Amino acid sequence: MDFLGLEWYWWLIILVALVISLPLKIKFMKWWSKRREDKKENGKWGADE
């Protein structure tokens, strides 16, 4: 049993990796946008330093 040339367990591994990585990516994006906002407010964005 294979789908697009991969065995079923490879699809299971890919699915598990996606399920684990999506919340981490969302958390990282929220942290990154907050970090950028903090830098803008403090005047440390670009050539101000």
Side-chain angles (χ1 to χ4, degrees):
M1 182 175 140
D2 61 340
F3 183 66
L4 294 178
L6 291 177
E7 294 291 334
W8 66 270
Y9 52 85
W10 284 114
W11 288 110
L12 189 65
I13 291 169
I14 292 168
L15 184 67
V16 168
L18 285 174
V19 167
I20 291 171
S21 67
L22 277 174
L24 292 176
K25 183 181 178 189
I26 292 168
K27 187 174 181 180
F28 173 78
M29 294 299 284
K30 285 182 180 177
W31 172 82
W32 185 255
S33 64
K34 184 178 183 299
R35 184 173 171 264
R36 286 184 59 193
E37 289 298 318
D38 289 349
K39 281 198 169 196
K40 281 184 187 175
E41 287 174 11
N42 295 336
K44 293 180 179 177
W45 194 252
D48 291 340
E49 287 186 293

